[in-house]
Amino acid sequence: MERNLIQTVRMMRLALPHMKDRPDPAVINVASISGWSPQLAMSGQYSAAKAALIFGTERWALEFVPYGIRVNTVSPGSILVEGNGWDRYCLANPGYFEGYGNYRTGWRSLIRSSRRPWAMPRA
């Protein structure tokens, strides 16, 4: 909880008052798809922390509207990279992964290797 929620709350408490007089202020919190739906076993505390961060971000967004501060969250999923954890999990549990991983993981082939690794290739 400390790493995945409390540190973000502390930082927002420190930063938001100073953002009131800035032009076009914005906060983007990084949550996870684990905060929106059940994930793998043994991730309950992580999921709870991310769900709390998502809910908290919604509250902060409403509270800071009068000051013109935008507060949002993004909830990325896992990236399936050959040889890494998800790939090993997929190979070990093909039946489970078919229903789980196809919509909860991104595929590395969709991500362009460049100075902007988050950029998708042009269609």
Side-chain angles (χ1 to χ4, degrees), residues 30-81:
V30 180
S32 169
I33 60 169
S34 295
W36 292 98
S37 64
Q39 300 297 306
L40 294 175
M42 306 301 288
S43 66
Q45 187 179 32
Y46 176 79
S47 297
K50 293 304 182 177
L53 181 59
I54 292 166
F55 177 78
T57 299
E58 291 178 23
R59 293 297 316 145
W60 291 311
L62 294 172
E63 290 175 25
F64 285 91
V65 164
Y67 306 105
I69 301 173
R70 291 178 294 116
V71 185
N72 293 294
T73 187
V74 294
S75 297
S78 299
I79 300 297
L80 184 62
V81 178

Side-chain angles (χ1 to χ4, degrees), residues 3 10 18 54 64 68 89:
R3 180 184 315 149
R10 287 182 183 143
H18 299 285
I54 292 166
F64 285 91
Y89 186 84

Side-chain angles (χ1 to χ4, degrees), residues 11 13 18 20 22-24 30 32 48-49 69 85 87 99 105 120:
M11 183 57 73
R13 284 184 183 158
H18 299 285
K20 291 179 181 178
R22 306 282 180 176
D24 199 28
V30 180
S32 169
I69 301 173
D87 188 41
T105 60
M120 300 298 284

Side-chain angles (χ1 to χ4, degrees), residues 79 106-113 116-121:
I79 300 297
W107 300 91
R108 188 174 188 196
S109 61
L110 296 177
I111 300 174
R112 182 171 54 189
S113 297
R116 297 179 301 153
W118 61 87
M120 300 298 284

